[in-house]
Structure formats: structure tokens, C-alpha cells
Amino acid sequence: DWKVPEEATSSSSLPSKERCVLKLLVPPVLAATVIGHGGSNIAEIQRACQARVTVSPVGETYSRTDCRVLLARAESEEALRNVVHRVVEFLQEIAERDPSDSVCYEGQLKLGALVPRAAVAGLIGRKGAAIRQLCEESGAEVKVRDPLPNATGPGAVQKVDIRGQASALEHVLRDIIHHVQQGNGEVWFPAYASSPLGPAGRSGAIEKQVSSNGSGYSQAPQIEKSSAARAGRELIDR
């Protein structure tokens, strides 16, 4: 199986050429496809996209989901967008072959991302204006979850759930990529970017699970922490 390299679990500074970072939540079937037999697919993604891509080990999943964490690092936002395109292509292929709840819902693809709190504010915008516009332009449904109770600081991750057609998912993830990179000069960013869960990974946000919950679309605890996040959810939760 594809393992996260040792350097991807340290809190050291990122290499100067890998300042762009994206984290996706991938259900088991998508994780297996992204990795491929003997790591063949993930190696091809890295080569073609000029990015470093790792997936958290089997059994280590994001809290209250069966999703492993895909961590992509690259020199440019464009490289990350190319990674997203390949992942969404795999997701669509899986949904067409076996439309299970883990990859689609009512004909719409679904995918999650882990976004630092500092970037969520820009994603939502003043009184939810930015995320409302993003949903209207992309045709996607976007839901922003609160950080886990033990996750604090601007680098703490929030789960962002996206539903829509393949082009809609890519549209939203392009926006997320842009907002996340706005913080890559901040002191918290290396810790966020250097491991699947960043600082929260050391305090239980990644769980070792004995068995899958069979869903792949679980909600993080709904704890009201900011009026901006609440406004964003009110606009998009249905």
C-alpha cells in the first residue's frame, strides 16, 4: 500500500518549491483507485501533474468518516488543479460503474476537502456572499463544517463537502485551492501542510478504525464557533 513518507508527517517547514497544498477526503474505493496497483496510478499523477501526492495509510481516516486523507503539494496552483482533475476523473468513473453512496448522491458526485480555518473565512465571504456566488456559478452544493472540538488556531481544518457534476466539483476546488494558498506565508501553514491533518493530526483527528461506517459522507460535529461560518451554512445547507 502507498504510505505517507516520513517527511510528510513532520512539522518542519515545507520545501521552498512545494508551497501550494491541497487536502482531499477520499473514500476507500476512491483511495484504492487513486493509488492503483502497486502505486501505479498515484505515481502517474505525480509525474503528469508535477506534484507530490500521498494518501494516509489504510485504517487512518478523518474523524467520523471512512475517508482517508489525500495530501497534494506542488509548486503552483495549476499543478494542484491538475491533480484535482485526475481525482475527479477517477471519481466519475467509479460513480458510473458503481454509483454507491460513498461517491455520489442522487446523480451528483461528492467529494470532501480539508480547509484551514483561516481560508474558510475567504471561502464563505462577508455574510456568506462569496460561497453563495460560488454555488450559483458552479452549480455545486457546498457545506462547510465546524472544526473538531480539539482543533484550534487558524491552521485547524474544517471539512468542506461538495456535491455536483464533475465540472462543478473542479470549479469549487479551484476556489478552495486559491484561498488555501493565501496563507502559505503564515506561521501556521507549514504545520497544516506537512501532514494529512496538520496540527490536529497529533490530537486525534485521524482515527484508526477497525471497520468502515459504510457511508463516506459523515458530518463533523456541528459546533457554532463563528457567525461567518454559521451564515455560510445557512445559505447552503438544505
mmCIF file of all heavy atoms in Angstrom, residues 62 113-117 119-125 128 130-132 134-135 141-147 156-162 172 176 217-226 228-238:
data_model
loop_
_atom_site.group_PDB
_atom_site.id
_atom_site.type_symbol
_atom_site.label_atom_id
_atom_site.label_comp_id
_atom_site.label_asym_id
_atom_site.label_seq_id
_atom_site.Cartn_x
_atom_site.Cartn_y
_atom_site.Cartn_z
ATOM 1 N N TYR A 62 -10.264 10.304 8.511
ATOM 2 C CA TYR A 62 -10.706 11.529 9.159
ATOM 3 C C TYR A 62 -11.857 11.219 10.117
ATOM 4 O O TYR A 62 -12.688 10.358 9.851
ATOM 5 C CB TYR A 62 -11.156 12.552 8.112
ATOM 6 C CG TYR A 62 -11.529 13.884 8.717
ATOM 7 C CD1 TYR A 62 -10.569 14.685 9.321
ATOM 8 C CD2 TYR A 62 -12.843 14.328 8.700
ATOM 9 C CE1 TYR A 62 -10.907 15.898 9.886
ATOM 10 C CE2 TYR A 62 -13.192 15.548 9.253
ATOM 11 C CZ TYR A 62 -12.220 16.331 9.856
ATOM 12 O OH TYR A 62 -12.564 17.530 10.425
ATOM 13 N N ALA A 113 -13.080 18.148 1.154
ATOM 14 C CA ALA A 113 -11.762 18.757 1.279
ATOM 15 C C ALA A 113 -11.566 19.206 2.721
ATOM 16 O O ALA A 113 -12.537 19.463 3.442
ATOM 17 C CB ALA A 113 -11.629 19.955 0.337
ATOM 18 N N LEU A 114 -10.314 19.285 3.148
ATOM 19 C CA LEU A 114 -9.980 19.801 4.470
ATOM 20 C C LEU A 114 -9.315 21.158 4.290
ATOM 21 O O LEU A 114 -8.238 21.258 3.703
ATOM 22 C CB LEU A 114 -9.054 18.833 5.212
ATOM 23 C CG LEU A 114 -9.661 17.472 5.558
ATOM 24 C CD1 LEU A 114 -8.637 16.602 6.280
ATOM 25 C CD2 LEU A 114 -10.917 17.625 6.404
ATOM 26 N N VAL A 115 -9.970 22.187 4.802
ATOM 27 C CA VAL A 115 -9.555 23.566 4.561
ATOM 28 C C VAL A 115 -9.211 24.227 5.890
ATOM 29 O O VAL A 115 -9.990 24.121 6.851
ATOM 30 C CB VAL A 115 -10.682 24.350 3.857
ATOM 31 C CG1 VAL A 115 -10.251 25.776 3.558
ATOM 32 C CG2 VAL A 115 -11.097 23.638 2.576
ATOM 33 N N PRO A 116 -8.082 24.918 5.992
ATOM 34 C CA PRO A 116 -7.748 25.588 7.255
ATOM 35 C C PRO A 116 -8.745 26.697 7.571
ATOM 36 O O PRO A 116 -9.279 27.340 6.675
ATOM 37 C CB PRO A 116 -6.340 26.149 7.003
ATOM 38 C CG PRO A 116 -6.221 26.248 5.523
ATOM 39 C CD PRO A 116 -7.051 25.134 4.969
ATOM 40 N N ARG A 117 -8.986 26.911 8.849
ATOM 41 C CA ARG A 117 -9.962 27.911 9.277
ATOM 42 C C ARG A 117 -9.669 29.277 8.674
ATOM 43 O O ARG A 117 -10.592 30.021 8.326
ATOM 44 C CB ARG A 117 -9.961 28.020 10.801
ATOM 45 C CG ARG A 117 -10.493 26.802 11.508
ATOM 46 C CD ARG A 117 -10.436 26.953 13.009
ATOM 47 N NE ARG A 117 -11.325 28.014 13.488
ATOM 48 C CZ ARG A 117 -11.433 28.344 14.761
ATOM 49 N NH1 ARG A 117 -10.705 27.714 15.681
ATOM 50 N NH2 ARG A 117 -12.262 29.291 15.126
ATOM 51 N N ALA A 119 -8.591 29.997 5.835
ATOM 52 C CA ALA A 119 -9.042 30.080 4.440
ATOM 53 C C ALA A 119 -10.552 29.997 4.316
ATOM 54 O O ALA A 119 -11.121 30.447 3.319
ATOM 55 C CB ALA A 119 -8.392 28.962 3.618
ATOM 56 N N VAL A 120 -11.207 29.436 5.325
ATOM 57 C CA VAL A 120 -12.661 29.284 5.269
ATOM 58 C C VAL A 120 -13.354 30.644 5.242
ATOM 59 O O VAL A 120 -14.366 30.824 4.563
ATOM 60 C CB VAL A 120 -13.157 28.431 6.450
ATOM 61 C CG1 VAL A 120 -14.679 28.534 6.609
ATOM 62 C CG2 VAL A 120 -12.762 26.973 6.244
ATOM 63 N N ALA A 121 -12.813 31.596 5.978
ATOM 64 C CA ALA A 121 -13.425 32.931 6.006
ATOM 65 C C ALA A 121 -13.498 33.530 4.606
ATOM 66 O O ALA A 121 -14.523 34.099 4.211
ATOM 67 C CB ALA A 121 -12.635 33.848 6.936
ATOM 68 N N GLY A 122 -12.424 33.398 3.833
ATOM 69 C CA GLY A 122 -12.429 33.908 2.469
ATOM 70 C C GLY A 122 -13.349 33.120 1.572
ATOM 71 O O GLY A 122 -13.982 33.676 0.673
ATOM 72 N N LEU A 123 -13.439 31.821 1.819
ATOM 73 C CA LEU A 123 -14.316 30.963 1.023
ATOM 74 C C LEU A 123 -15.778 31.352 1.228
ATOM 75 O O LEU A 123 -16.551 31.421 0.271
ATOM 76 C CB LEU A 123 -14.096 29.505 1.412
ATOM 77 C CG LEU A 123 -14.927 28.453 0.682
ATOM 78 C CD1 LEU A 123 -14.512 28.365 -0.774
ATOM 79 C CD2 LEU A 123 -14.767 27.093 1.369
ATOM 80 N N ILE A 124 -16.159 31.622 2.466
ATOM 81 C CA ILE A 124 -17.542 31.982 2.781
ATOM 82 C C ILE A 124 -17.844 33.422 2.398
ATOM 83 O O ILE A 124 -18.873 33.721 1.799
ATOM 84 C CB ILE A 124 -17.831 31.751 4.277
ATOM 85 C CG1 ILE A 124 -17.779 30.251 4.589
ATOM 86 C CG2 ILE A 124 -19.198 32.322 4.667
ATOM 87 C CD1 ILE A 124 -17.911 29.913 6.056
ATOM 88 N N GLY A 125 -16.919 34.327 2.741
ATOM 89 C CA GLY A 125 -17.136 35.738 2.429
ATOM 90 C C GLY A 125 -18.047 36.425 3.435
ATOM 91 O O GLY A 125 -18.621 35.794 4.320
ATOM 92 N N GLY A 128 -21.702 35.344 3.956
ATOM 93 C CA GLY A 128 -21.932 34.215 3.057
ATOM 94 C C GLY A 128 -22.001 34.575 1.584
ATOM 95 O O GLY A 128 -22.340 33.724 0.751
ATOM 96 N N ALA A 130 -19.669 35.210 -0.711
ATOM 97 C CA ALA A 130 -18.729 34.550 -1.621
ATOM 98 C C ALA A 130 -19.140 33.111 -1.890
ATOM 99 O O ALA A 130 -19.098 32.644 -3.037
ATOM 100 C CB ALA A 130 -17.311 34.601 -1.041
ATOM 101 N N ILE A 131 -19.558 32.398 -0.858
ATOM 102 C CA ILE A 131 -19.907 30.993 -1.075
ATOM 103 C C ILE A 131 -21.238 30.876 -1.805
ATOM 104 O O ILE A 131 -21.460 29.933 -2.572
ATOM 105 C CB ILE A 131 -19.909 30.226 0.264
ATOM 106 C CG1 ILE A 131 -19.728 28.729 -0.003
ATOM 107 C CG2 ILE A 131 -21.161 30.499 1.090
ATOM 108 C CD1 ILE A 131 -19.354 27.927 1.226
ATOM 109 N N ARG A 132 -22.128 31.847 -1.584
ATOM 110 C CA ARG A 132 -23.379 31.846 -2.349
ATOM 111 C C ARG A 132 -23.089 32.018 -3.840
ATOM 112 O O ARG A 132 -23.641 31.306 -4.687
ATOM 113 C CB ARG A 132 -24.298 32.976 -1.885
ATOM 114 C CG ARG A 132 -25.649 32.990 -2.612
ATOM 115 C CD ARG A 132 -26.408 34.298 -2.417
ATOM 116 N NE ARG A 132 -26.727 34.552 -1.037
ATOM 117 C CZ ARG A 132 -26.247 35.573 -0.331
ATOM 118 N NH1 ARG A 132 -25.388 36.411 -0.900
ATOM 119 N NH2 ARG A 132 -26.605 35.753 0.909
ATOM 120 N N LEU A 134 -20.287 31.336 -5.351
ATOM 121 C CA LEU A 134 -19.574 30.148 -5.819
ATOM 122 C C LEU A 134 -20.557 29.023 -6.162
ATOM 123 O O LEU A 134 -20.421 28.361 -7.195
ATOM 124 C CB LEU A 134 -18.590 29.681 -4.748
ATOM 125 C CG LEU A 134 -17.787 28.407 -5.044
ATOM 126 C CD1 LEU A 134 -16.905 28.596 -6.274
ATOM 127 C CD2 LEU A 134 -16.940 28.023 -3.833
ATOM 128 N N CYS A 135 -21.557 28.837 -5.317
ATOM 129 C CA CYS A 135 -22.561 27.795 -5.580
ATOM 130 C C CYS A 135 -23.373 28.115 -6.829
ATOM 131 O O CYS A 135 -23.664 27.228 -7.642
ATOM 132 C CB CYS A 135 -23.485 27.645 -4.374
ATOM 133 S SG CYS A 135 -22.691 26.933 -2.923
ATOM 134 N N GLU A 141 -23.376 22.108 -4.682
ATOM 135 C CA GLU A 141 -23.818 22.315 -3.303
ATOM 136 C C GLU A 141 -22.585 22.194 -2.420
ATOM 137 O O GLU A 141 -21.826 21.215 -2.526
ATOM 138 C CB GLU A 141 -24.854 21.265 -2.903
ATOM 139 C CG GLU A 141 -25.312 21.394 -1.462
ATOM 140 C CD GLU A 141 -26.269 20.309 -1.046
ATOM 141 O OE1 GLU A 141 -26.657 19.493 -1.915
ATOM 142 O OE2 GLU A 141 -26.622 20.256 0.156
ATOM 143 N N VAL A 142 -22.360 23.182 -1.571
ATOM 144 C CA VAL A 142 -21.169 23.206 -0.726
ATOM 145 C C VAL A 142 -21.596 23.359 0.732
ATOM 146 O O VAL A 142 -22.414 24.228 1.050
ATOM 147 C CB VAL A 142 -20.232 24.378 -1.102
ATOM 148 C CG1 VAL A 142 -18.971 24.352 -0.245
ATOM 149 C CG2 VAL A 142 -19.874 24.322 -2.583
ATOM 150 N N LYS A 143 -21.063 22.514 1.581
ATOM 151 C CA LYS A 143 -21.367 22.588 3.013
ATOM 152 C C LYS A 143 -20.067 22.689 3.801
ATOM 153 O O LYS A 143 -19.169 21.860 3.640
ATOM 154 C CB LYS A 143 -22.166 21.360 3.463
ATOM 155 C CG LYS A 143 -23.547 21.269 2.828
ATOM 156 C CD LYS A 143 -24.334 20.099 3.388
ATOM 157 C CE LYS A 143 -25.721 20.023 2.748
ATOM 158 N NZ LYS A 143 -26.533 18.915 3.317
ATOM 159 N N VAL A 144 -19.978 23.693 4.655
ATOM 160 C CA VAL A 144 -18.789 23.911 5.481
ATOM 161 C C VAL A 144 -19.087 23.437 6.898
ATOM 162 O O VAL A 144 -20.053 23.894 7.514
ATOM 163 C CB VAL A 144 -18.382 25.396 5.492
ATOM 164 C CG1 VAL A 144 -17.161 25.608 6.390
ATOM 165 C CG2 VAL A 144 -18.103 25.889 4.077
ATOM 166 N N ARG A 145 -18.275 22.534 7.390
ATOM 167 C CA ARG A 145 -18.450 22.015 8.749
ATOM 168 C C ARG A 145 -17.525 22.736 9.715
ATOM 169 O O ARG A 145 -16.476 23.244 9.323
ATOM 170 C CB ARG A 145 -18.137 20.515 8.785
ATOM 171 C CG ARG A 145 -18.779 19.702 7.679
ATOM 172 C CD ARG A 145 -20.282 19.755 7.703
ATOM 173 N NE ARG A 145 -20.866 18.867 6.708
ATOM 174 C CZ ARG A 145 -22.166 18.735 6.487
ATOM 175 N NH1 ARG A 145 -23.027 19.446 7.196
ATOM 176 N NH2 ARG A 145 -22.620 17.906 5.571
ATOM 177 N N ASP A 146 -17.886 22.739 10.981
ATOM 178 C CA ASP A 146 -17.037 23.355 12.001
ATOM 179 C C ASP A 146 -15.805 22.508 12.262
ATOM 180 O O ASP A 146 -15.820 21.287 12.020
ATOM 181 C CB ASP A 146 -17.819 23.537 13.292
ATOM 182 C CG ASP A 146 -18.743 24.736 13.229
ATOM 183 O OD1 ASP A 146 -18.257 25.850 12.981
ATOM 184 O OD2 ASP A 146 -19.960 24.552 13.408
ATOM 185 N N PRO A 147 -14.735 23.120 12.801
ATOM 186 C CA PRO A 147 -13.568 22.311 13.187
ATOM 187 C C PRO A 147 -13.948 21.312 14.266
ATOM 188 O O PRO A 147 -14.950 21.483 14.969
ATOM 189 C CB PRO A 147 -12.583 23.365 13.736
ATOM 190 C CG PRO A 147 -13.059 24.668 13.211
ATOM 191 C CD PRO A 147 -14.545 24.551 13.081
ATOM 192 N N ALA A 156 -6.277 24.952 11.968
ATOM 193 C CA ALA A 156 -7.183 23.831 12.231
ATOM 194 C C ALA A 156 -8.080 23.605 11.018
ATOM 195 O O ALA A 156 -8.600 24.555 10.436
ATOM 196 C CB ALA A 156 -8.028 24.127 13.461
ATOM 197 N N VAL A 157 -8.267 22.354 10.639
ATOM 198 C CA VAL A 157 -9.006 22.074 9.405
ATOM 199 C C VAL A 157 -10.510 22.055 9.631
ATOM 200 O O VAL A 157 -10.990 21.679 10.698
ATOM 201 C CB VAL A 157 -8.566 20.742 8.764
ATOM 202 C CG1 VAL A 157 -7.128 20.825 8.307
ATOM 203 C CG2 VAL A 157 -8.793 19.563 9.698
ATOM 204 N N GLN A 158 -11.237 22.479 8.606
ATOM 205 C CA GLN A 158 -12.687 22.342 8.548
ATOM 206 C C GLN A 158 -13.029 21.507 7.330
ATOM 207 O O GLN A 158 -12.454 21.685 6.253
ATOM 208 C CB GLN A 158 -13.362 23.704 8.463
ATOM 209 C CG GLN A 158 -13.191 24.522 9.726
ATOM 210 C CD GLN A 158 -13.967 25.822 9.701
ATOM 211 O OE1 GLN A 158 -13.372 26.893 9.850
ATOM 212 N NE2 GLN A 158 -15.266 25.754 9.538
ATOM 213 N N LYS A 159 -13.977 20.606 7.517
ATOM 214 C CA LYS A 159 -14.398 19.728 6.437
ATOM 215 C C LYS A 159 -15.369 20.487 5.533
ATOM 216 O O LYS A 159 -16.335 21.081 6.002
ATOM 217 C CB LYS A 159 -15.066 18.484 7.014
ATOM 218 C CG LYS A 159 -15.512 17.439 6.002
ATOM 219 C CD LYS A 159 -15.947 16.181 6.760
ATOM 220 C CE LYS A 159 -16.431 15.092 5.806
ATOM 221 N NZ LYS A 159 -17.871 15.241 5.520
ATOM 222 N N VAL A 160 -15.081 20.476 4.239
ATOM 223 C CA VAL A 160 -15.946 21.106 3.248
ATOM 224 C C VAL A 160 -16.453 20.015 2.321
ATOM 225 O O VAL A 160 -15.670 19.348 1.651
ATOM 226 C CB VAL A 160 -15.198 22.187 2.439
ATOM 227 C CG1 VAL A 160 -16.115 22.785 1.379
ATOM 228 C CG2 VAL A 160 -14.673 23.279 3.372
ATOM 229 N N ASP A 161 -17.771 19.803 2.323
ATOM 230 C CA ASP A 161 -18.395 18.787 1.490
ATOM 231 C C ASP A 161 -18.933 19.425 0.215
ATOM 232 O O ASP A 161 -19.600 20.462 0.268
ATOM 233 C CB ASP A 161 -19.547 18.111 2.235
ATOM 234 C CG ASP A 161 -19.067 17.295 3.419
ATOM 235 O OD1 ASP A 161 -18.011 16.654 3.293
ATOM 236 O OD2 ASP A 161 -19.740 17.309 4.467
ATOM 237 N N ILE A 162 -18.666 18.787 -0.914
ATOM 238 C CA ILE A 162 -19.069 19.327 -2.219
ATOM 239 C C ILE A 162 -19.858 18.263 -2.959
ATOM 240 O O ILE A 162 -19.442 17.102 -3.033
ATOM 241 C CB ILE A 162 -17.832 19.717 -3.056
ATOM 242 C CG1 ILE A 162 -16.845 20.537 -2.237
ATOM 243 C CG2 ILE A 162 -18.256 20.472 -4.319
ATOM 244 C CD1 ILE A 162 -15.457 20.579 -2.843
ATOM 245 N N VAL A 172 -15.341 24.404 -7.693
ATOM 246 C CA VAL A 172 -15.264 24.710 -6.266
ATOM 247 C C VAL A 172 -13.863 24.456 -5.731
ATOM 248 O O VAL A 172 -13.320 25.262 -4.965
ATOM 249 C CB VAL A 172 -16.294 23.881 -5.486
ATOM 250 C CG1 VAL A 172 -16.103 24.055 -3.979
ATOM 251 C CG2 VAL A 172 -17.715 24.296 -5.868
ATOM 252 N N ILE A 176 -11.149 26.733 -3.663
ATOM 253 C CA ILE A 176 -10.551 26.323 -2.392
ATOM 254 C C ILE A 176 -9.027 26.370 -2.477
ATOM 255 O O ILE A 176 -8.350 26.868 -1.565
ATOM 256 C CB ILE A 176 -11.037 24.913 -2.011
ATOM 257 C CG1 ILE A 176 -12.500 24.974 -1.556
ATOM 258 C CG2 ILE A 176 -10.157 24.296 -0.921
ATOM 259 C CD1 ILE A 176 -13.122 23.626 -1.282
ATOM 260 N N TYR A 217 -19.753 9.898 3.895
ATOM 261 C CA TYR A 217 -20.269 11.268 3.846
ATOM 262 C C TYR A 217 -20.806 11.620 5.219
ATOM 263 O O TYR A 217 -21.978 11.864 5.417
ATOM 264 C CB TYR A 217 -21.374 11.385 2.791
ATOM 265 C CG TYR A 217 -21.753 12.815 2.462
ATOM 266 C CD1 TYR A 217 -20.927 13.605 1.676
ATOM 267 C CD2 TYR A 217 -22.934 13.369 2.946
ATOM 268 C CE1 TYR A 217 -21.276 14.908 1.364
ATOM 269 C CE2 TYR A 217 -23.285 14.674 2.641
ATOM 270 C CZ TYR A 217 -22.462 15.431 1.851
ATOM 271 O OH TYR A 217 -22.809 16.733 1.546
ATOM 272 N N SER A 218 -19.920 11.607 6.211
ATOM 273 C CA SER A 218 -20.315 11.879 7.579
ATOM 274 C C SER A 218 -20.126 13.342 7.897
ATOM 275 O O SER A 218 -19.250 14.002 7.349
ATOM 276 C CB SER A 218 -19.486 11.041 8.560
ATOM 277 O OG SER A 218 -19.627 9.673 8.265
ATOM 278 N N GLN A 219 -20.911 13.847 8.829
ATOM 279 C CA GLN A 219 -20.807 15.243 9.226
ATOM 280 C C GLN A 219 -19.904 15.365 10.438
ATOM 281 O O GLN A 219 -19.982 14.565 11.367
ATOM 282 C CB GLN A 219 -22.179 15.811 9.573
ATOM 283 C CG GLN A 219 -23.129 15.870 8.399
ATOM 284 C CD GLN A 219 -24.427 16.537 8.764
ATOM 285 O OE1 GLN A 219 -24.562 17.080 9.850
ATOM 286 N NE2 GLN A 219 -25.375 16.513 7.858
ATOM 287 N N ALA A 220 -19.068 16.408 10.421
ATOM 288 C CA ALA A 220 -18.310 16.734 11.611
ATOM 289 C C ALA A 220 -19.269 17.330 12.628
ATOM 290 O O ALA A 220 -20.345 17.802 12.283
ATOM 291 C CB ALA A 220 -17.198 17.737 11.271
ATOM 292 N N PRO A 221 -18.919 17.341 13.928
ATOM 293 C CA PRO A 221 -19.819 17.896 14.927
ATOM 294 C C PRO A 221 -20.205 19.327 14.599
ATOM 295 O O PRO A 221 -19.365 20.140 14.215
ATOM 296 C CB PRO A 221 -18.977 17.831 16.216
ATOM 297 C CG PRO A 221 -17.993 16.745 15.969
ATOM 298 C CD PRO A 221 -17.685 16.805 14.502
ATOM 299 N N GLN A 222 -21.467 19.648 14.760
ATOM 300 C CA GLN A 222 -21.959 20.985 14.437
ATOM 301 C C GLN A 222 -21.859 21.874 15.665
ATOM 302 O O GLN A 222 -22.786 21.997 16.461
ATOM 303 C CB GLN A 222 -23.411 20.894 13.957
ATOM 304 C CG GLN A 222 -23.548 20.135 12.648
ATOM 305 C CD GLN A 222 -22.830 20.847 11.516
ATOM 306 O OE1 GLN A 222 -23.119 21.992 11.210
ATOM 307 N NE2 GLN A 222 -21.881 20.179 10.907
ATOM 308 N N ILE A 223 -20.730 22.501 15.867
ATOM 309 C CA ILE A 223 -20.496 23.385 16.994
ATOM 310 C C ILE A 223 -20.376 24.797 16.456
ATOM 311 O O ILE A 223 -19.493 25.109 15.659
ATOM 312 C CB ILE A 223 -19.206 22.996 17.743
ATOM 313 C CG1 ILE A 223 -19.326 21.554 18.249
ATOM 314 C CG2 ILE A 223 -18.929 23.945 18.881
ATOM 315 C CD1 ILE A 223 -18.058 21.010 18.805
ATOM 316 N N GLU A 224 -21.250 25.697 16.902
ATOM 317 C CA GLU A 224 -21.248 27.063 16.379
ATOM 318 C C GLU A 224 -20.066 27.827 16.942
ATOM 319 O O GLU A 224 -19.978 28.058 18.142
ATOM 320 C CB GLU A 224 -22.555 27.772 16.766
ATOM 321 C CG GLU A 224 -23.796 27.077 16.233
ATOM 322 C CD GLU A 224 -23.839 27.050 14.721
ATOM 323 O OE1 GLU A 224 -23.114 27.823 14.090
ATOM 324 O OE2 GLU A 224 -24.605 26.247 14.178
ATOM 325 N N LYS A 225 -19.141 28.202 16.077
ATOM 326 C CA LYS A 225 -17.950 28.898 16.524
ATOM 327 C C LYS A 225 -17.818 30.282 15.934
ATOM 328 O O LYS A 225 -17.124 31.118 16.492
ATOM 329 C CB LYS A 225 -16.690 28.080 16.206
ATOM 330 C CG LYS A 225 -16.593 26.817 17.043
ATOM 331 C CD LYS A 225 -15.271 26.144 16.803
ATOM 332 C CE LYS A 225 -15.149 24.904 17.655
ATOM 333 N NZ LYS A 225 -15.053 25.224 19.074
ATOM 334 N N SER A 226 -18.412 30.551 14.776
ATOM 335 C CA SER A 226 -18.278 31.878 14.192
ATOM 336 C C SER A 226 -19.530 32.234 13.424
ATOM 337 O O SER A 226 -20.156 31.390 12.813
ATOM 338 C CB SER A 226 -17.055 31.940 13.261
ATOM 339 O OG SER A 226 -17.324 31.248 12.087
ATOM 340 N N ALA A 228 -19.671 33.974 10.763
ATOM 341 C CA ALA A 228 -19.423 33.856 9.324
ATOM 342 C C ALA A 228 -19.683 32.438 8.853
ATOM 343 O O ALA A 228 -20.354 32.197 7.853
ATOM 344 C CB ALA A 228 -17.984 34.269 8.990
ATOM 345 N N ALA A 229 -19.148 31.456 9.593
ATOM 346 C CA ALA A 229 -19.363 30.065 9.205
ATOM 347 C C ALA A 229 -20.834 29.717 9.301
ATOM 348 O O ALA A 229 -21.377 29.004 8.467
ATOM 349 C CB ALA A 229 -18.533 29.137 10.101
ATOM 350 N N ARG A 230 -21.515 30.225 10.336
ATOM 351 C CA ARG A 230 -22.929 29.936 10.500
ATOM 352 C C ARG A 230 -23.734 30.514 9.351
ATOM 353 O O ARG A 230 -24.624 29.875 8.799
ATOM 354 C CB ARG A 230 -23.419 30.499 11.832
ATOM 355 C CG ARG A 230 -24.878 30.175 12.132
ATOM 356 C CD ARG A 230 -25.210 30.419 13.596
ATOM 357 N NE ARG A 230 -24.984 31.794 14.011
ATOM 358 C CZ ARG A 230 -23.977 32.210 14.759
ATOM 359 N NH1 ARG A 230 -23.061 31.348 15.180
ATOM 360 N NH2 ARG A 230 -23.849 33.470 15.115
ATOM 361 N N ALA A 231 -23.392 31.745 8.957
ATOM 362 C CA ALA A 231 -24.108 32.371 7.846
ATOM 363 C C ALA A 231 -23.905 31.596 6.562
ATOM 364 O O ALA A 231 -24.829 31.402 5.779
ATOM 365 C CB ALA A 231 -23.625 33.818 7.662
ATOM 366 N N GLY A 232 -22.672 31.111 6.351
ATOM 367 C CA GLY A 232 -22.393 30.347 5.150
ATOM 368 C C GLY A 232 -23.193 29.073 5.108
ATOM 369 O O GLY A 232 -23.746 28.695 4.083
ATOM 370 N N ARG A 233 -23.299 28.391 6.254
ATOM 371 C CA ARG A 233 -24.048 27.140 6.268
ATOM 372 C C ARG A 233 -25.530 27.373 6.063
ATOM 373 O O ARG A 233 -26.212 26.593 5.421
ATOM 374 C CB ARG A 233 -23.795 26.392 7.575
ATOM 375 C CG ARG A 233 -22.452 25.693 7.613
ATOM 376 C CD ARG A 233 -22.435 24.696 8.749
ATOM 377 N NE ARG A 233 -22.812 25.342 10.008
ATOM 378 C CZ ARG A 233 -21.977 26.033 10.760
ATOM 379 N NH1 ARG A 233 -20.735 26.208 10.370
ATOM 380 N NH2 ARG A 233 -22.384 26.563 11.896
ATOM 381 N N GLU A 234 -26.040 28.461 6.651
ATOM 382 C CA GLU A 234 -27.458 28.736 6.495
ATOM 383 C C GLU A 234 -27.834 28.958 5.038
ATOM 384 O O GLU A 234 -28.922 28.644 4.585
ATOM 385 C CB GLU A 234 -27.858 29.967 7.324
ATOM 386 C CG GLU A 234 -27.860 29.665 8.830
ATOM 387 C CD GLU A 234 -28.039 30.916 9.655
ATOM 388 O OE1 GLU A 234 -28.014 32.025 9.055
ATOM 389 O OE2 GLU A 234 -28.210 30.815 10.881
ATOM 390 N N LEU A 235 -26.889 29.499 4.287
ATOM 391 C CA LEU A 235 -27.152 29.772 2.880
ATOM 392 C C LEU A 235 -27.118 28.514 2.038
ATOM 393 O O LEU A 235 -27.816 28.411 1.022
ATOM 394 C CB LEU A 235 -26.104 30.755 2.322
ATOM 395 C CG LEU A 235 -26.293 32.206 2.765
ATOM 396 C CD1 LEU A 235 -25.026 32.996 2.458
ATOM 397 C CD2 LEU A 235 -27.492 32.820 2.052
ATOM 398 N N ILE A 236 -26.326 27.553 2.448
ATOM 399 C CA ILE A 236 -26.095 26.412 1.561
ATOM 400 C C ILE A 236 -26.627 25.096 2.078
ATOM 401 O O ILE A 236 -26.847 24.183 1.310
ATOM 402 C CB ILE A 236 -24.590 26.256 1.262
ATOM 403 C CG1 ILE A 236 -23.805 26.139 2.570
ATOM 404 C CG2 ILE A 236 -24.104 27.412 0.440
ATOM 405 C CD1 ILE A 236 -22.330 26.026 2.368
ATOM 406 N N ASP A 237 -26.842 24.958 3.393
ATOM 407 C CA ASP A 237 -27.407 23.708 3.912
ATOM 408 C C ASP A 237 -28.846 23.572 3.458
ATOM 409 O O ASP A 237 -29.612 24.520 3.520
ATOM 410 C CB ASP A 237 -27.349 23.676 5.440
ATOM 411 C CG ASP A 237 -25.964 23.328 5.951
ATOM 412 O OD1 ASP A 237 -25.114 22.972 5.114
ATOM 413 O OD2 ASP A 237 -25.745 23.420 7.160
ATOM 414 N N ARG A 238 -29.186 22.391 3.005
ATOM 415 C CA ARG A 238 -30.555 22.157 2.566
ATOM 416 C C ARG A 238 -31.116 20.953 3.270
ATOM 417 O O ARG A 238 -30.436 20.018 3.515
ATOM 418 C CB ARG A 238 -30.594 21.943 1.037
ATOM 419 C CG ARG A 238 -30.032 23.143 0.305
ATOM 420 C CD ARG A 238 -30.254 22.986 -1.193
ATOM 421 N NE ARG A 238 -29.758 24.141 -1.882
ATOM 422 C CZ ARG A 238 -28.706 24.137 -2.692
ATOM 423 N NH1 ARG A 238 -28.043 23.015 -2.891
ATOM 424 N NH2 ARG A 238 -28.312 25.238 -3.295
#
